[in-house]
Amino acid sequence: MPSSTLDLAKALIARRSLTPDDAGCQEILIERLKQLGFKIESMRFGNVDNFWARRGMTGPILCFAGHTDVVPTGPVEQWVSEPFTPTEREGKLYGRGAADMKTSLAAFITAIEGFLAQHPNHAGSIALLITSDEEGIAVDGTVKVVETLQARNELIDYCIVGEPTCVDKLGDTVKNGRRGSLSGQLIVKGIQGHIAYPHLAKNPIHLAAPAIAELAATEWDKGNEFFPPTTWQISNMRGGTGATNVIPGEVEILFNFRFCTASTVDSLKSRVLALLDRHGLDYSIEWEYSKPYLTGRGNLVDAISAAIKEVTGINTELSTSGGTSDGRFIADICPQVIELGPRNATIHKLNECVELDHIEPLREIYQRTLEKLLK
């Protein structure tokens, strides 16, 4: 008999899968899926293991997406129990990846097993997209699998990403989108010189200060129904030689926008450049971005909201808060992407854990969503 969701979660947590090392987690999942009749495609890009699994040849396709990699543990001696030894204590399951996101992966599998036991001839197709490169630089993981599927016109109708989304209680929050991220490396140039002879130099920090103040005070947009207004923040600022008597020749400013769908990458870039030009700065700038995604109310949001209500009694809240996720890549081939997983209170922290009494209800929510969309 297949093991329970808890047993499977423990088996995954016991694998030391630090990004991008999968450490055999995907083998465990693949073996279970093969027994259910899934066609498995292993896709290794660079040093990253990924797989795409599908059962069924027709639409709609409901895909479960997630990652087997975890972040480093931090000081092991500060953990109450060994991070890669799954431990039950005081009603919780402890271990690195317990919340982010090996419990979700386990619940994916057991939900599918339960659904197929009752509905072996279900409508549509079930799929899984699993990577080991979500917690890292995310260039050889989900994005590459999506590109492969897109190239052969294999699209997805619904996708559930197992990221930990809940705040206080299981099911209280579903992510139906994420803000975009636009980072800039701005270098403002001046003329280096002796601090006692400022008339012979140009201090780039002084020159940049009015522009920085205006950037910080600018209203970029007002947000919309699902997103808060776009924000701009400096993350790092560096200039000078380290000496107290030298005016620096340049200053480097690293900044980031977290932007909503009320703005675009192009509109934000053009407004920044216009502002810098207006201040007469001699500068260079390099950009890096990931785009936002948003799933409005529809079949997937309705189905998972109803499943949460049935299992937990909670009216879930739709949210677009937090950082980026692999949902931003999947949205290129899937019009309806949401994220639902355990509470996120301990993710990336020492003594990461998930409540034991949340594990089977999470599995049941996933299974009921399958029933609503593919029964």
Side-chain angles (χ1 to χ4, degrees), residues 17 23 25 27 40 50 70 85 129 134 155 186-187 199 201 224 245 305 309 317 343:
S17 56
C25 290
E27 292 177 9
I40 311 295
N50 312 280
V70 298
T85 300
L129 194 169
E134 197 274 344
L155 309 180
L186 170 64
I187 296 177
H199 59 289
N224 55 33
N245 61 350
S305 298
K309 178 70 172 179
E317 177 182 338
R343 289 180 65 232

Side-chain angles (χ1 to χ4, degrees), residues 214-232:
E214 186 173 346
L215 287 165
T218 296
E219 180 183 78
W220 302 97
D221 56 51
K222 295 183 181 296
N224 55 33
E225 177 187 3
F226 293 107
F227 287 99
T230 294
T231 61
W232 181 88

Side-chain angles (χ1 to χ4, degrees), residues 106-299:
F108 287 167
I109 301 300
T110 56
I112 292 168
E113 289 171 342
F115 173 73
L116 292 178
Q118 297 178 31
H119 309 285
N121 300 312
H122 60 86
S125 300
I126 307 171
L128 291 96
L129 194 169
I130 308 297
T131 184
S132 63
D133 186 35
E134 197 274 344
E135 300 288 11
I137 57 176
V139 297
D140 286 320
T142 297
V143 63
K144 287 289 181 65
V145 178
V146 166
E147 288 171 355
T148 301
L149 297 175
Q150 195 170 30
R152 64 195 194 200
N153 200 33
E154 189 169 359
L155 309 180
I156 300 167
D157 296 284
Y158 312 117
C159 184
I160 300 172
V161 184
E163 290 292 344
T165 59
C166 299
V167 180
D168 297 315
K169 299 178 180 179
L170 179 68
D172 64 8
T173 306
V174 167
K175 303 285 187 184
N176 67 320
R178 297 277 187 158
R179 292 176 295 175
S181 174
L182 175 62
S183 295
Q185 180 191 35
L186 170 64
I187 296 177
V188 178
K189 301 170 187 177
I191 298 175
Q192 183 174 314
H194 196 295
I195 208 162
Y197 300 95
H199 59 289
L200 300 178
K202 290 175 66 176
N203 192 319
I205 299 175
H206 294 182
L207 295 172
I212 293 172
E214 186 173 346
L215 287 165
T218 296
E219 180 183 78
W220 302 97
D221 56 51
K222 295 183 181 296
N224 55 33
E225 177 187 3
F226 293 107
F227 287 99
T230 294
T231 61
W232 181 88
Q233 291 289 322
I234 289 177
S235 57
N236 284 279
M237 189 168 178
R238 182 175 60 195
T241 64
T244 61
N245 61 350
V246 179
I247 293 172
E250 64 180 32
V251 59
E252 178 190 55
I253 301 163
L254 304 183
F255 64 84
N256 178 266
F257 284 102
R258 289 304 165 103
F259 67 98
C260 71
T261 51
S263 291
T264 66
V265 169
D266 289 341
S267 70
L268 295 174
K269 284 183 179 181
S270 63
R271 291 179 68 184
V272 170
L273 297 178
L275 189 153
L276 297 175
D277 289 341
R278 190 168 67 250
H279 283 269
L281 299 179
D282 181 8
Y283 67 91
S284 63
I285 191 166
E286 294 185 4
W287 302 96
E288 181 179 339
Y289 81 97
S290 61
K291 62 186 178 181
Y293 81 89
L294 177 66
T295 297
R297 292 178 175 84
N299 292 347

Side-chain angles (χ1 to χ4, degrees), residues 48-70:
V48 174
D49 289 305
N50 312 280
F51 77 82
W52 168 251
R54 180 170 174 176
R55 185 185 193 273
M57 298 299 294
T58 61
I61 302 174
L62 192 159
C63 175
F64 293 96
H67 59 90
T68 56
D69 58 315
V70 298

